[in-house]
């Protein structure tokens, strides 16, 4: 059996063609540097270690003024097999994906999907209220919505004028 | 059996698949997270099974902080060859996983031959 791959989804760090202009490239570099220096003690996502037999689901993270949204691709998971836990500054998505057709035994001639346990710890950009978290699983995608803690709201610091 | 891919738009992705030769049929299991089951198109023509699973565009809430996967339709074709009963092909999509059962023609299914004693 031969394969002719043209684009693998997991290898895609961003939308194809999203760096079409020099300005886009500059903005992307600024974003990377900003993330590195503002969170120097946190490992980037791609640096997370994976134990043998485990896999890491791909995620999207976005934020508004009041909420943080996390989406994870988890095809073939029973919702009851997903464990979502949250602390003030970290969201953990963990669980197990089993092959429903494992009884086919040695009949599998080609395998690309991930099976086994997975765990993903996602550092949050701001503190959230653990009591105000909702999680929904639909069509193989887990969506978690977190409400930012009111105590973590940003504050504008006035700059005082000196005598000279 | 050969698997092929044919990009249709720039935002087209190849789904991960598992393939099982179960004797009486070939079972193809494809990961298509985010695809709407009602819009998935599965066709079989001249020995080639084609899958097209449309995915709705990403509805971004606010500012993106991290994007590890792209959003686009899933497309993939499988050259199965002869000996399959196209009229009995069935497909089911549940929790972002598409299962396609492709039965073999009765005339080419593996058959156990009973050995009689003299």
């Amino acid at each position: 059996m031969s394969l002719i791959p043209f684009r693998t989804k997991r290898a895609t760090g961003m939308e194809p063609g999203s760096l079409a202009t020099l300005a886009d490239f500059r903005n992307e570099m600024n974003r990377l540097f900003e993330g590195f220096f503002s969170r120097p003690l946190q490992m980037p996502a791609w640096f997370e270690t994976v134990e043998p037999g485990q896999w890491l689901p791909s995620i999207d993270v976005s934020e508004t003024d009041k909420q943080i949204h996390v989406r994870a691709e988890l095809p073939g998971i029973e919702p009851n097999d997903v464990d979502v836990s949250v602390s003030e500054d970290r969201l953990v998505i963990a669980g197990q994906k089993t092959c429903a057709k494992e009884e086919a035994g040695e009949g599998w001639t080609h395998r690309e999907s991930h099976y086994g346990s997975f765990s993903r710890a996602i550092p949050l950009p701001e503190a959230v209220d653990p009591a105000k978290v909702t999680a929904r699983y639909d069509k193989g995608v887990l969506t978690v919505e977190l409400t930012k803690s009111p105590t973590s709201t940003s504050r504008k610091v006035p700059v005082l004028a000196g005598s000279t | 059996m050969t698997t092929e891919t044919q990009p249709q738009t720039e935002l087209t992705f190849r789904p991960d698949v598992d393939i099982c030769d179960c004797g009486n049929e070939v079972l193809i299991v494809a990961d298509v997270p985010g695809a709407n089951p009602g819009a998935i198109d599965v066709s079989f023509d001249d020995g080639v099974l084609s899958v097209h699973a449309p995915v709705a565009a990403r509805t971004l809430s606010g500012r993106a902080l991290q994007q590890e996967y792209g959003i686009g339709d899933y497309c993939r074709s499988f050259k199965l060859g002869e000996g399959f009963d196209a009229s009995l092909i069935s497909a089911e999509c549940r929790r972002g996983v598409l299962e396609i059962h492709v039965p073999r023609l009765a005339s080419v299914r593996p058959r156990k031959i009973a050995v009689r004693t003299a």
Side-chain angles (χ1 to χ4, degrees):
Chain A
M1 184 183 303
S2 62
L3 281 175
I4 310 171
F6 70 94
R7 183 183 300 132
T8 56
K9 192 170 189 181
R10 296 186 190 287
T12 309
M14 56 195 70
E15 303 281 358
S18 60
L19 296 181
T21 65
L22 195 59
D24 290 337
F25 177 75
R26 184 193 62 202
N27 291 337
E28 182 64 16
M29 292 304 292
N30 286 341
R31 189 183 66 79
L32 291 172
F33 274 98
E34 182 184 341
F36 178 80
F37 288 110
S38 64
R39 294 175 290 154
L41 298 179
Q42 294 175 356
M43 293 293 185
W46 45 263
F47 206 79
E48 289 185 49
T49 56
V50 183
E51 298 293 327
Q54 281 197 335
W55 57 284
L56 288 177
S58 299
I59 60 168
D60 267 9
V61 183
S62 63
E63 70 169 346
T64 62
D65 290 341
K66 296 181 179 178
Q67 286 194 312
I68 298 169
H69 302 265
V70 178
R71 286 162 47 96
E73 285 194 322
L74 295 170
I77 308 282
E78 295 294 330
N80 290 336
D81 291 341
V82 183
D83 181 31
V84 178
S85 58
V86 63
S87 62
E88 269 205 345
D89 62 348
R90 188 171 294 264
L91 171 71
V92 177
I93 300 172
Q96 180 90 13
K97 182 181 179 183
T98 55
C99 180
K101 302 291 180 184
E102 202 58 61
E103 67 272 15
E106 297 179 356
W108 295 102
T109 58
H110 189 77
R111 305 205 79 157
E112 297 174 353
S113 298
H114 301 281
Y115 294 100
S117 60
F118 61 88
S119 180
R120 190 82 197 255
I122 303 156
L124 300 172
E126 288 186 41
V128 298
D129 185 347
K132 294 181 180 176
V133 179
T134 60
R136 182 169 52 90
Y137 182 84
D138 184 39
K139 296 194 284 286
V141 178
L142 175 73
T143 303
V144 184
E145 296 189 349
L146 309 103
T147 302
K148 292 179 180 178
S149 173
T151 58
S152 70
T153 52
S154 58
R155 186 172 69 91
K156 186 171 176 63
V157 179
V159 179
L160 303 176
S163 58
T164 55
Chain B
M1 180 167 49
T2 304
T3 64
E4 294 179 342
T5 51
Q6 296 173 342
Q8 294 185 343
T9 66
E10 193 163 1
L11 292 179
T12 301
F13 296 93
R14 187 193 68 175
D16 290 338
V17 298
D18 295 341
I19 300 173
C20 179
D21 188 342
C22 306
N24 291 341
E25 66 172 11
V26 168
L27 171 63
I28 297 173
V29 182
D31 286 345
V32 289
N36 184 357
I40 296 175
D41 180 41
V42 179
S43 60
F44 187 77
D45 183 30
D46 197 19
V48 176
L49 180 81
S50 299
V51 177
H52 177 212
V55 177
R58 176 186 272 122
T59 53
L60 188 65
S61 304
R63 186 170 67 102
L65 301 176
Q66 197 165 342
Q67 288 189 353
E68 295 182 355
Y69 60 89
I71 295 290
D73 295 358
Y74 296 98
C75 283
R76 193 155 180 180
S77 297
F78 307 88
K79 192 173 289 182
L80 299 179
E82 305 298 323
F84 294 94
D85 192 339
S87 64
L88 293 179
I89 295 176
S90 62
E92 178 188 10
C93 188
R94 184 171 176 269
R95 302 199 192 291
V97 175
L98 176 65
E99 282 188 15
I100 307 171
H101 297 264
V102 188
R104 283 197 163 87
L105 289 168
S107 57
V108 298
R109 287 180 184 175
R111 189 165 66 93
K112 188 170 179 62
I113 312 298
V115 179
R116 291 177 295 181
T117 54

